[in-house]
Amino acid sequence: MASLSPQPRKLPADEEPADPKTALLTPPVPSPSSPSSPSPSRFLFAFLLVTTCISLAISSAFAFLLLTSNSKPVKEVARSLSKLPHPVVILISSDGFRFGYQFKTSTPNIHRLIRNGTEAETGLIPVFPTLTFPNHYSIVTGLYPTYHGIINNRFTDPVTGEVFTMQSHESKWWLGEPLWETVVNQGKKAATFFWPGSEVKKGKWSCPDKYCQHYNGSVPFEERVDTVLGYFDLPSNEMPVFITLYFEDPDHQGHQVGPDDPEITNAVAHIDSLIGRLISGLEKRGVFEDVTVILLGDHGMVGTCDKKLIYLEDLSPWIEIESEWVQSTTPVLAITPPSNVSLAEVVSKMNEGLSSGKIEHGNYLKMFLKEDLPTRLHYAASYRIPPIIGLLQEGYKVELKRSDNKECGGAHGYDNTNFSMRTIFIAHGPQFGKGRKVKSFENVQIYNVIASILKLKGAANNGSESFADNILLES
Ligand SMILES: *[C@@H]1O[C@H](CO)[C@@H](O)[C@H](O)[C@H]1NC(C)=O
Ligand SMILES: *[C@@H]1O[C@H](CO)[C@@H](O)[C@H](O)[C@H]1NC(C)=O
Ligand SMILES: *[C@@H]1O[C@H](CO)[C@@H](O)[C@H](O)[C@H]1NC(C)=O
Ligand SMILES: *[C@@H]1O[C@H](CO)[C@@H](O)[C@H](O)[C@H]1NC(C)=O
Ligand SMILES: *[C@@H]1O[C@H](CO)[C@@H](O)[C@H](O)[C@H]1NC(C)=O
Ligand SMILES: [Zn+2]
């Protein structure tokens, strides 16, 4: 269970919004209640209008050719704000929005952002483990889970024995400096309509009632969008410069039915309609071109089935794994044996069994001492990470022993190099190039990008110094 939502959500029943492309192609139909009598002067006027338009179009086309043929293409630069007094960033997360879902059905609103914005062409790379809480908090801190402390959705502090859950809001768990804290520490306003960690009081961030919503998965998505829109009606000194918006879907459906079910298609269409609702609300206020909208997800999703299970009880000829040692099973197998048991021996005996050819699907799981994990995973340097970690191939699951549970669904948490774990990054706003594609990047880069748009001094983090300059247009 990696969804934030404890309650089952009802399925979206919204109508699909009209595709603006087809709307443009459809000629307006004269309404029968307003008859128009054609007269010769009207025809002449229309004729002159059409010919003027055609000649204008031809001359501007020639002018364009002349201007572009012997000079370099005009470099796109950041556009200045026309209405807002200061830059505003809305950071939207659609949980479990696997890269590629945007092509499952018609998503005219998401594609509007893509066409006039900047997109990670092959998706956004999550951090390991590709789980909801670690990734959301990496997005807003720029830190790998090792350094921001949320190393899993649920874990035990090995020193105090205390358990972190998705309901833990004490600041001792949440290290690093999230964006809302960076914003308020520097005298500006931030607002959160849900985000893991947003209810935690840190620095000058006190999660004030006016700007910080306490998590409640039953709040309709439409209400979340409308509340965010309401911030743009505030006087400019009360208007937040940074706003988060969170949707539990399509992760919620993905866990139940896997990534290839029509339920996912419906959930994606619903998310698209919410993006449409946000865009039209911003347009109504005349601020859509001024606001920076960043639409992303935390991780992808892959289908899982009971045919891809590995049972730890099968290892007993090599080593007996006690259930109390096991901190988590799928997709990150994390083991903390008691102190009188050799860690290296547990790893080697488990791997001996798994690679023996005698354990069903054994080759799809490999055990490591955490310090021996591939360094690209950045999953060692925290005392909170259990000493033994097993990496599973995507789609496989681990269970302690056989049971009658027979079900197929979806999961995430696997190696972040796997494409199935990738999600989307789409950014639209004055500092993002129109129709621009960039290479995939890790979500720890996003903190610096938002800090740069908001002209804030960012805290130390794991994003690179140059990334923001490369993805943002020159001011
Ligand atoms: C894209 O931006 C241009 C202005 O640069 C605007 O005319 C056009 O309507 C926008 N397209 C969409 C789909 O928003
Ligand atoms: C959660 O939201 C629902 C829908 O808005 C509301 O009916 C319910 O009272 C809320 N629960 C809490 C604990 O605030
Ligand atoms: C470790 O200690 C426990 C009791 O604390 C004991 O039951 C167990 O046999 C010991 N294991 C080894 C390998 O010595
Ligand atoms: C997932 O990533 C691991 C590590 O890079 C790799 O060995 C494996 O082949 C990948 N699986 C797929 C299906 O791409
Ligand atoms: C990540 O950032 C933290 C905080 O600045 C730093 O302590 C750590 O060394 C960084 N790790 C990597 C791998 O860059
Ligand atoms: Zn998630």
Side-chain angles (χ1 to χ4, degrees), residues 312-323 325 341 346 349-350:
L312 293 183
E313 65 176 356
D314 292 353
L315 283 168
S316 61
W318 290 271
I319 181 170
E320 201 77 56
I321 305 292
E322 310 286 342
S323 63
W325 303 4
V341 174
V346 173
K349 285 193 171 158
M350 286 183 80

PDB file of all heavy atoms in Angstrom, residues 312-323 325 341 346 349-350:
ATOM      1  N   LEU A 312      10.538 -16.581   0.934  1.00  0.00           N
ATOM      2  CA  LEU A 312      11.739 -16.677   1.769  1.00  0.00           C
ATOM      3  C   LEU A 312      11.826 -18.033   2.476  1.00  0.00           C
ATOM      4  O   LEU A 312      12.912 -18.503   2.785  1.00  0.00           O
ATOM      5  CB  LEU A 312      11.778 -15.531   2.792  1.00  0.00           C
ATOM      6  CG  LEU A 312      11.955 -14.129   2.192  1.00  0.00           C
ATOM      7  CD1 LEU A 312      12.060 -13.081   3.305  1.00  0.00           C
ATOM      8  CD2 LEU A 312      13.179 -14.041   1.272  1.00  0.00           C
ATOM      9  N   GLU A 313      10.680 -18.666   2.711  1.00  0.00           N
ATOM     10  CA  GLU A 313      10.722 -19.981   3.394  1.00  0.00           C
ATOM     11  C   GLU A 313      11.473 -21.016   2.548  1.00  0.00           C
ATOM     12  O   GLU A 313      12.041 -21.955   3.089  1.00  0.00           O
ATOM     13  CB  GLU A 313       9.295 -20.471   3.700  1.00  0.00           C
ATOM     14  CG  GLU A 313       8.456 -20.758   2.465  1.00  0.00           C
ATOM     15  CD  GLU A 313       7.072 -21.328   2.786  1.00  0.00           C
ATOM     16  OE1 GLU A 313       6.784 -21.566   3.968  1.00  0.00           O
ATOM     17  OE2 GLU A 313       6.283 -21.530   1.844  1.00  0.00           O
ATOM     18  N   ASP A 314      11.521 -20.794   1.212  1.00  0.00           N
ATOM     19  CA  ASP A 314      12.234 -21.734   0.349  1.00  0.00           C
ATOM     20  C   ASP A 314      13.745 -21.720   0.594  1.00  0.00           C
ATOM     21  O   ASP A 314      14.461 -22.600   0.152  1.00  0.00           O
ATOM     22  CB  ASP A 314      11.979 -21.409  -1.133  1.00  0.00           C
ATOM     23  CG  ASP A 314      10.526 -21.684  -1.540  1.00  0.00           C
ATOM     24  OD1 ASP A 314       9.783 -22.248  -0.714  1.00  0.00           O
ATOM     25  OD2 ASP A 314      10.152 -21.326  -2.673  1.00  0.00           O
ATOM     26  N   LEU A 315      14.217 -20.676   1.303  1.00  0.00           N
ATOM     27  CA  LEU A 315      15.651 -20.550   1.559  1.00  0.00           C
ATOM     28  C   LEU A 315      16.111 -21.381   2.755  1.00  0.00           C
ATOM     29  O   LEU A 315      17.307 -21.436   3.052  1.00  0.00           O
ATOM     30  CB  LEU A 315      16.017 -19.078   1.808  1.00  0.00           C
ATOM     31  CG  LEU A 315      16.115 -18.172   0.583  1.00  0.00           C
ATOM     32  CD1 LEU A 315      16.194 -16.713   1.024  1.00  0.00           C
ATOM     33  CD2 LEU A 315      17.325 -18.530  -0.254  1.00  0.00           C
ATOM     34  N   SER A 316      15.178 -22.021   3.451  1.00  0.00           N
ATOM     35  CA  SER A 316      15.541 -22.667   4.725  1.00  0.00           C
ATOM     36  C   SER A 316      16.669 -23.710   4.612  1.00  0.00           C
ATOM     37  O   SER A 316      17.432 -23.849   5.560  1.00  0.00           O
ATOM     38  CB  SER A 316      14.304 -23.240   5.410  1.00  0.00           C
ATOM     39  OG  SER A 316      13.709 -24.198   4.593  1.00  0.00           O
ATOM     40  N   PRO A 317      16.829 -24.427   3.478  1.00  0.00           N
ATOM     41  CA  PRO A 317      18.001 -25.314   3.421  1.00  0.00           C
ATOM     42  C   PRO A 317      19.327 -24.551   3.525  1.00  0.00           C
ATOM     43  O   PRO A 317      20.343 -25.131   3.899  1.00  0.00           O
ATOM     44  CB  PRO A 317      17.880 -25.985   2.045  1.00  0.00           C
ATOM     45  CG  PRO A 317      16.438 -25.859   1.675  1.00  0.00           C
ATOM     46  CD  PRO A 317      15.980 -24.562   2.284  1.00  0.00           C
ATOM     47  N   TRP A 318      19.335 -23.282   3.174  1.00  0.00           N
ATOM     48  CA  TRP A 318      20.569 -22.477   3.228  1.00  0.00           C
ATOM     49  C   TRP A 318      20.619 -21.642   4.491  1.00  0.00           C
ATOM     50  O   TRP A 318      21.613 -21.574   5.159  1.00  0.00           O
ATOM     51  CB  TRP A 318      20.667 -21.561   1.996  1.00  0.00           C
ATOM     52  CG  TRP A 318      20.927 -22.332   0.738  1.00  0.00           C
ATOM     53  CD1 TRP A 318      22.141 -22.672   0.225  1.00  0.00           C
ATOM     54  CD2 TRP A 318      19.942 -22.895  -0.136  1.00  0.00           C
ATOM     55  NE1 TRP A 318      21.981 -23.414  -0.919  1.00  0.00           N
ATOM     56  CE2 TRP A 318      20.634 -23.556  -1.167  1.00  0.00           C
ATOM     57  CE3 TRP A 318      18.535 -22.905  -0.161  1.00  0.00           C
ATOM     58  CZ2 TRP A 318      19.990 -24.219  -2.207  1.00  0.00           C
ATOM     59  CZ3 TRP A 318      17.886 -23.567  -1.187  1.00  0.00           C
ATOM     60  CH2 TRP A 318      18.609 -24.211  -2.201  1.00  0.00           C
ATOM     61  N   ILE A 319      19.480 -20.948   4.766  1.00  0.00           N
ATOM     62  CA  ILE A 319      19.428 -20.104   5.952  1.00  0.00           C
ATOM     63  C   ILE A 319      17.967 -19.871   6.343  1.00  0.00           C
ATOM     64  O   ILE A 319      17.097 -19.700   5.480  1.00  0.00           O
ATOM     65  CB  ILE A 319      20.165 -18.753   5.735  1.00  0.00           C
ATOM     66  CG1 ILE A 319      20.108 -17.896   7.001  1.00  0.00           C
ATOM     67  CG2 ILE A 319      19.611 -17.993   4.548  1.00  0.00           C
ATOM     68  CD1 ILE A 319      21.000 -16.668   6.943  1.00  0.00           C
ATOM     69  N   GLU A 320      17.727 -19.876   7.628  1.00  0.00           N
ATOM     70  CA  GLU A 320      16.372 -19.614   8.138  1.00  0.00           C
ATOM     71  C   GLU A 320      16.226 -18.109   8.351  1.00  0.00           C
ATOM     72  O   GLU A 320      16.945 -17.529   9.157  1.00  0.00           O
ATOM     73  CB  GLU A 320      16.222 -20.350   9.481  1.00  0.00           C
ATOM     74  CG  GLU A 320      14.796 -20.623   9.905  1.00  0.00           C
ATOM     75  CD  GLU A 320      14.153 -21.788   9.147  1.00  0.00           C
ATOM     76  OE1 GLU A 320      14.722 -22.910   9.156  1.00  0.00           O
ATOM     77  OE2 GLU A 320      13.098 -21.546   8.530  1.00  0.00           O
ATOM     78  N   ILE A 321      15.318 -17.476   7.585  1.00  0.00           N
ATOM     79  CA  ILE A 321      15.086 -16.032   7.765  1.00  0.00           C
ATOM     80  C   ILE A 321      13.892 -15.852   8.704  1.00  0.00           C
ATOM     81  O   ILE A 321      12.765 -16.164   8.344  1.00  0.00           O
ATOM     82  CB  ILE A 321      14.801 -15.334   6.405  1.00  0.00           C
ATOM     83  CG1 ILE A 321      15.917 -15.596   5.388  1.00  0.00           C
ATOM     84  CG2 ILE A 321      14.570 -13.834   6.604  1.00  0.00           C
ATOM     85  CD1 ILE A 321      17.236 -14.952   5.738  1.00  0.00           C
ATOM     86  N   GLU A 322      14.171 -15.363   9.901  1.00  0.00           N
ATOM     87  CA  GLU A 322      13.092 -15.165  10.877  1.00  0.00           C
ATOM     88  C   GLU A 322      12.224 -13.979  10.450  1.00  0.00           C
ATOM     89  O   GLU A 322      12.746 -12.973   9.958  1.00  0.00           O
ATOM     90  CB  GLU A 322      13.671 -14.860  12.262  1.00  0.00           C
ATOM     91  CG  GLU A 322      14.743 -15.814  12.755  1.00  0.00           C
ATOM     92  CD  GLU A 322      14.170 -17.165  13.186  1.00  0.00           C
ATOM     93  OE1 GLU A 322      12.942 -17.230  13.422  1.00  0.00           O
ATOM     94  OE2 GLU A 322      14.948 -18.141  13.256  1.00  0.00           O
ATOM     95  N   SER A 323      10.928 -14.090  10.669  1.00  0.00           N
ATOM     96  CA  SER A 323      10.039 -13.001  10.226  1.00  0.00           C
ATOM     97  C   SER A 323      10.344 -11.678  10.941  1.00  0.00           C
ATOM     98  O   SER A 323      10.160 -10.612  10.373  1.00  0.00           O
ATOM     99  CB  SER A 323       8.576 -13.387  10.402  1.00  0.00           C
ATOM    100  OG  SER A 323       8.309 -13.594  11.767  1.00  0.00           O
ATOM    101  N   TRP A 325      13.153 -10.443  11.500  1.00  0.00           N
ATOM    102  CA  TRP A 325      14.284  -9.764  10.863  1.00  0.00           C
ATOM    103  C   TRP A 325      13.825  -8.897   9.693  1.00  0.00           C
ATOM    104  O   TRP A 325      14.533  -7.998   9.257  1.00  0.00           O
ATOM    105  CB  TRP A 325      15.295 -10.756  10.286  1.00  0.00           C
ATOM    106  CG  TRP A 325      15.878 -11.751  11.236  1.00  0.00           C
ATOM    107  CD1 TRP A 325      15.562 -11.930  12.567  1.00  0.00           C
ATOM    108  CD2 TRP A 325      16.874 -12.722  10.923  1.00  0.00           C
ATOM    109  NE1 TRP A 325      16.318 -12.949  13.084  1.00  0.00           N
ATOM    110  CE2 TRP A 325      17.131 -13.462  12.099  1.00  0.00           C
ATOM    111  CE3 TRP A 325      17.571 -13.047   9.754  1.00  0.00           C
ATOM    112  CZ2 TRP A 325      18.060 -14.501  12.144  1.00  0.00           C
ATOM    113  CZ3 TRP A 325      18.496 -14.080   9.789  1.00  0.00           C
ATOM    114  CH2 TRP A 325      18.733 -14.794  10.991  1.00  0.00           C
ATOM    115  N   VAL A 341      24.276 -12.254  14.698  1.00  0.00           N
ATOM    116  CA  VAL A 341      24.259 -12.960  13.408  1.00  0.00           C
ATOM    117  C   VAL A 341      25.106 -12.171  12.402  1.00  0.00           C
ATOM    118  O   VAL A 341      24.986 -10.950  12.308  1.00  0.00           O
ATOM    119  CB  VAL A 341      22.813 -13.115  12.895  1.00  0.00           C
ATOM    120  CG1 VAL A 341      22.782 -13.700  11.498  1.00  0.00           C
ATOM    121  CG2 VAL A 341      21.991 -13.969  13.845  1.00  0.00           C
ATOM    122  N   VAL A 346      24.596 -13.866   6.165  1.00  0.00           N
ATOM    123  CA  VAL A 346      23.189 -13.887   5.728  1.00  0.00           C
ATOM    124  C   VAL A 346      23.124 -13.604   4.229  1.00  0.00           C
ATOM    125  O   VAL A 346      22.461 -14.321   3.475  1.00  0.00           O
ATOM    126  CB  VAL A 346      22.343 -12.843   6.506  1.00  0.00           C
ATOM    127  CG1 VAL A 346      20.933 -12.756   5.926  1.00  0.00           C
ATOM    128  CG2 VAL A 346      22.290 -13.194   7.986  1.00  0.00           C
ATOM    129  N   LYS A 349      24.645 -16.611   2.170  1.00  0.00           N
ATOM    130  CA  LYS A 349      23.810 -17.825   2.175  1.00  0.00           C
ATOM    131  C   LYS A 349      22.516 -17.612   1.387  1.00  0.00           C
ATOM    132  O   LYS A 349      22.056 -18.516   0.679  1.00  0.00           O
ATOM    133  CB  LYS A 349      23.498 -18.240   3.608  1.00  0.00           C
ATOM    134  CG  LYS A 349      24.699 -18.885   4.265  1.00  0.00           C
ATOM    135  CD  LYS A 349      24.316 -19.568   5.549  1.00  0.00           C
ATOM    136  CE  LYS A 349      25.491 -20.393   6.076  1.00  0.00           C
ATOM    137  NZ  LYS A 349      25.378 -20.640   7.518  1.00  0.00           N
ATOM    138  N   MET A 350      21.957 -16.428   1.527  1.00  0.00           N
ATOM    139  CA  MET A 350      20.736 -16.150   0.758  1.00  0.00           C
ATOM    140  C   MET A 350      21.038 -16.184  -0.738  1.00  0.00           C
ATOM    141  O   MET A 350      20.308 -16.796  -1.521  1.00  0.00           O
ATOM    142  CB  MET A 350      20.140 -14.785   1.144  1.00  0.00           C
ATOM    143  CG  MET A 350      19.443 -14.771   2.500  1.00  0.00           C
ATOM    144  SD  MET A 350      18.681 -13.169   2.879  1.00  0.00           S
ATOM    145  CE  MET A 350      17.161 -13.279   1.911  1.00  0.00           C
TER     146      MET A 350
END
